Amino acid sequence: MRVFSVLLLLVISASCAFAQLDRKEKAMVGWIDEHNGEAVELLKELININSGTMNFEGVRQVADALIPKFKALGMEAEFLDGSAFNRAGHLVARIRGGKGPNILMIGHLDTVFEPDSPFQQWTQVDDQTIKGPGIADMKGGDVVILQTLSALNNAGLLKDMNIWVVMTGDEELSGRPLNLSKAELIKAAEWADVALGFENGDGNYKTANVARRSSSGWKLEVTGVPSHSSQIFKPNIGAGAIYEASRILYQFYEELSKEEYLTFNPGNIVGGTSISYDDKTNSGTAFGKTNVVAESAIVNGDIRCISEEQYKRAQQVMKRIVSEHLPQTEATITFNEGYPPFAPTDGNYELLKQFSQVSQDLGFGEVSPVNPADAGAADISFAAFGIQMGLDGLGMGGTQGHTVNEAGDMRTLPMQTKRAAILMYRLLKGN
C-alpha cells in the first residue's frame, strides 16, 4: 500500500509539472523522447572517432559528422581552418531569423584522449551508464546542442531564431596565440545577448554554472650571486636564488591563500648553479652542488580568479612581494595569457532562475549554481565580456572526466535537451 502511494504521488507530481508546459513545449518534449535513439546513435558515432586536440584529422571528422545535420536544419555551417593557431579548427553554424535574442551556443569537438590513449571506444556499463572518451566532456553536450535545435526546428521555431553555434577544436589544449584561437568565440560574443555553454559542469544535472574561474600562468625567475656555500648570507653574497624563490612563494601563501575563489599553484621549480627549462615540454634540468650558493631558480605556476578585478588585485600583490628582494638577489614575475573569468553577474543568476523554472515545469526539480571553486575554465569565459547573461554546464551529466574511466549518464541526454529547448523557446517568447 505504501509503495502504491509513493508511485501515485510521483505520477501526480509529474502530471502537475507537465501541465505547466504549453502546446509547443509538450510537442518538443515528445519529439525529443521519440528521437532519443537517434541521438544515442550519433553520440556513439562521435565517441568512436578519436578527436584528441592534436589529432587534427579526428577533430575534423567529428565536425564532418555534424555539419550536414546543422545544414539539414536550414543553418549555415562550415569548418574554419585552425592552421593560424596550430590546431584543427572550429565548427560554426548560424541561423538569423530576426526574432528574439541573439543566442550563442558553445561546444567543443576535441577531447584530452589522443590516438595513443588506451581509452578509445564506447562501452556500455549498464542501462544508464556508458564509458567513452569525451562522452561527458563534451561530445554528449554537442549532441544536446544538435538535438535542441532539431526539436526547435520540428516545432517550427528555429527559422525565426537568431542562433550562432561555435564548437571549438581546441578547448582542451588551446592554440596560440589566443586572440586567433578564440577569435570566432569573441566575434560571436560581441553579437550575442545570451551565451549557453554545453560543457558538463560538475556532472550533476541538478546544477549549472553561473561562473567559472579564470585559468592562466605565471613564471617567476630569480637570480643570486654564486659563491662557495661558506660565504652565504655575507653582505656581498646574500641569500642565493633558491632562498629568494622560497621567500616569495611563502609570502604568496601567507598573503593570498585565504582569499575566496583565488588559487595559485607553483607546479614546478628548478634551481641551482646552472638550469634550463623547456616551456613546451614543461620540463627542466638543474645542476648544483651542496657547497655552492644557487645562482638561478625558475618557478612555473597557474592562477585562477573569479573576476578580472580579483586577478588584477592578485597580480599587484604578487608583483609587490617579488620586488622585496632578499640581499643580493633579483626576481621578476611574468603573467601569461589564458582563459579569462566568467564572473557571476546578475544576468547569469536571472538566466539560472529561468532555467530552474523550466526544469521544475518539466518535473526535474530545481537547479542550483555550481560552486566556482569546483569547476574548471571553459570556452564560455571568452564570451563573458559581451553578453547580457550566460549559463554553462548544460551538457550531458557524467563522472571522472579526463580519465580512462570517464562515463556518461544516459538519462541526462534527453533531460538536458528538453531543458535547453524549452529555455530557448521561452527566451524567444520573451518570458
Side-chain angles (χ1 to χ4, degrees), residues 127-178:
D127 290 342
Q128 299 174 354
T129 310
I130 299 293
K131 289 179 64 177
I135 188 166
D137 185 14
M138 66 161 287
K139 291 178 178 178
D142 294 336
V143 174
V144 170
I145 290 174
L146 183 64
Q147 288 298 96
T148 295
L149 295 172
S150 298
L152 290 163
N153 183 62
N154 184 72
L157 300 167
L158 184 61
K159 60 182 174 50
D160 294 326
M161 300 178 75
N162 302 306
I163 309 291
W164 191 336
V165 178
V166 179
M167 293 183 178
T168 62
D170 66 340
E171 197 272 349
E172 301 292 2
L173 184 62
S174 294
R176 292 293 191 272
L178 277 177

Side-chain angles (χ1 to χ4, degrees), residues 67-316:
I67 286 173
K69 298 184 182 299
F70 285 112
K71 288 183 175 180
L73 300 177
M75 302 182 73
E76 303 169 5
E78 62 179 325
F79 190 77
L80 303 181
D81 179 72
S83 57
F85 47 92
N86 191 33
R87 293 296 184 269
H90 310 316
L91 184 162
V92 295
R94 292 191 69 173
I95 192 164
R96 287 162 277 198
K99 295 182 181 178
N102 295 343
I103 301 176
L104 167 61
M105 303 175 79
I106 302 171
H108 66 82
L109 308 169
D110 61 320
T111 75
V112 299
F113 304 99
E114 298 293 342
D116 61 353
S117 168
F119 192 41
Q120 296 289 342
Q121 295 292 316
W122 168 286
T123 304
Q124 186 149 354
V125 178
D126 55 43
D127 290 342
Q128 299 174 354
T129 310
I130 299 293
K131 289 179 64 177
I135 188 166
D137 185 14
M138 66 161 287
K139 291 178 178 178
D142 294 336
V143 174
V144 170
I145 290 174
L146 183 64
Q147 288 298 96
T148 295
L149 295 172
S150 298
L152 290 163
N153 183 62
N154 184 72
L157 300 167
L158 184 61
K159 60 182 174 50
D160 294 326
M161 300 178 75
N162 302 306
I163 309 291
W164 191 336
V165 178
V166 179
M167 293 183 178
T168 62
D170 66 340
E171 197 272 349
E172 301 292 2
L173 184 62
S174 294
R176 292 293 191 272
L178 277 177
N179 68 312
L180 295 181
S181 165
K182 306 306 178 185
E184 191 66 16
L185 269 177
I186 293 168
K187 184 166 63 173
E190 291 172 343
W191 167 87
D193 303 307
V194 179
L196 302 176
F198 289 82
E199 276 268 19
N200 61 322
D202 63 356
N204 183 355
Y205 71 88
K206 297 180 180 180
T207 64
N209 296 77
V210 296
R212 285 184 178 272
R213 295 188 298 161
S214 64
S215 177
S216 56
W218 52 270
K219 175 181 281 190
L220 175 66
E221 298 176 274
V222 185
T223 59
V225 178
S227 179
H228 193 283
S229 63
S230 65
Q231 304 303 300
I232 195 168
F233 309 139
K234 290 188 175 180
N236 62 326
I237 301 301
I242 291 177
Y243 266 123
E244 170 68 344
S246 64
R247 174 200 69 83
I248 292 169
L249 295 177
Y250 181 71
Q251 284 190 240
F252 285 175
Y253 175 81
E254 280 288 290
E255 295 196 31
L256 291 170
S257 64
K258 302 297 191 297
E259 185 168 337
E260 188 177 24
Y261 299 132
L262 173 66
T263 59
F264 44 95
N265 176 59
N268 57 54
I269 182 169
V270 182
T273 300
S274 60
I275 65 173
S276 65
Y277 187 80
D278 187 335
D279 291 316
K280 292 182 179 179
T281 61
N282 296 313
S283 61
T285 62
F287 170 79
K289 301 176 71 175
T290 59
N291 63 349
V292 178
V293 177
E295 182 177 4
S296 304
I298 292 176
V299 185
N300 288 277
D302 82 345
I303 181 169
R304 298 171 187 267
C305 305
I306 194 64
S307 67
E308 195 65 32
E309 292 74 22
Q310 186 181 53
Y311 181 51
K312 290 178 180 178
R313 191 167 61 249
Q315 279 187 320
Q316 290 173 355

Side-chain angles (χ1 to χ4, degrees), residues 42 45-46 48-51 55-68 79 88 91 109 139:
L42 175 60
E45 177 187 349
L46 300 182
N48 288 336
I49 300 171
N50 178 280
S51 60
N55 179 8
F56 295 178
E57 182 180 349
V59 172
R60 181 62 188 261
Q61 281 184 294
V62 174
D64 287 343
L66 292 170
I67 286 173
F79 190 77
L91 184 162
L109 308 169
K139 291 178 178 178

Side-chain angles (χ1 to χ4, degrees), residues 10-25:
L10 288 173
V11 170
I12 292 171
S13 175
S15 298
C16 290
F18 201 72
Q20 304 302 314
L21 306 181
D22 71 18
R23 180 178 56 83
K24 284 190 178 292
E25 291 171 346

